[in-house]
Amino acid sequence: GLLAKLSLGVAEKFEECLAIFRGKATKQLPRIDPSIIAYVEAQGKFHRSLSEYYQARCMWDKILLGELLTGYGTAIVMLRESIAVLGKLPKGSLSKSDLNALLKHLKTVLASWEKDNNTIYFEQPPKSVTEDQKLSQGTFMVKAEEYIFVENAAPVPLMLPARKMPLNSLMRGIGIRG
């Protein structure tokens, strides 16, 4: 689905950034903090892993809806691969609590799918997912909008005028008595 394509698109942008660092910016690379490079690399792997998870979910749902005839085993293997990549991310590259919560969720989904497959569908999971079964390219949505500088522009007020939003009613709205 769309989330798989978008996550893959984000992963590709992180990988493109690394390629630029390592290709065109080799002279500046020693001056860049290594933790930034590690972070960008981990984010690329993280989003590629999310893409596999979303693609596995999409495949599983399409089978349940009757849009695909088979694929339970393939979806299970995709989810296993996603979990394996997340489990190998370097420590400190993501919030430990967020990563643990995500891994717990993915493992719960995997256990449910394996139980269903072993009791209802009986589809043998393949040893690995072939490249033609994975998304070949991500989607990156950007709305190109040219910036136009306006000379002597009037300042924009950062709040509503008092007559439209009295301070007392605003304070009462958030529980402060005036």
Side-chain angles (χ1 to χ4, degrees):
L2 180 60
L3 286 176
K5 291 176 185 176
L6 290 171
S7 293
L8 184 56
V10 171
E12 290 169 350
K13 287 296 180 185
F14 277 112
E15 291 161 2
E16 182 182 323
C17 176
L18 281 174
I20 290 170
F21 281 162
R22 293 180 176 144
K24 297 178 182 177
T26 53
K27 290 180 183 176
Q28 292 83 10
L29 194 57
R31 295 183 359 208
I32 298 174
D33 185 350
S35 63
I36 292 173
I37 303 296
Y39 176 79
V40 171
E41 191 170 5
Q43 286 295 314
K45 290 177 182 178
F46 172 72
H47 285 283
R48 191 167 284 278
S49 174
L50 275 183
S51 175
E52 283 193 22
Y53 163 64
Y54 290 134
Q55 188 178 2
R57 291 284 314 218
C58 181
M59 181 179 283
W60 192 271
D61 292 344
K62 283 184 176 183
I63 298 166
L64 294 178
L65 294 171
E67 295 175 22
L68 291 175
L69 299 177
T70 62
Y72 293 107
T74 304
I76 288 171
V77 173
M78 278 184 180
L79 186 54
R80 284 180 189 158
E81 289 177 1
S82 177
I83 292 170
V85 169
L86 288 175
K88 293 178 185 175
L89 287 178
K91 292 183 187 228
S93 57
L94 296 171
S95 159
K96 186 176 180 178
S97 61
D98 289 345
L99 183 59
N100 288 340
L102 178 60
L103 282 169
K104 181 180 176 185
H105 169 72
L106 296 182
K107 288 175 182 177
T108 301
V109 171
L110 179 61
S112 171
W113 286 5
E114 287 176 333
K115 179 183 175 196
D116 289 353
N117 190 45
N118 292 334
T119 57
I120 302 169
Y121 310 118
F122 304 105
E123 188 174 308
Q124 184 66 36
K127 295 202 183 303
S128 64
V129 180
T130 60
E131 288 302 314
D132 65 320
Q133 292 174 310
K134 294 181 180 181
L135 291 174
S136 60
Q137 184 177 349
T139 301
F140 197 76
M141 295 171 45
V142 178
K143 180 180 178 187
E145 196 173 299
E146 185 178 335
Y147 176 76
I148 300 169
F149 180 75
V150 180
E151 290 284 337
N152 301 323
V156 178
L158 298 177
M159 59 187 294
L160 292 173
R163 66 183 178 283
K164 295 206 179 187
M165 179 61 92
L167 186 58
N168 285 340
S169 66
L170 176 64
M171 295 302 181
R172 280 194 301 272
I174 59 172
I176 300 173
R177 299 286 176 216

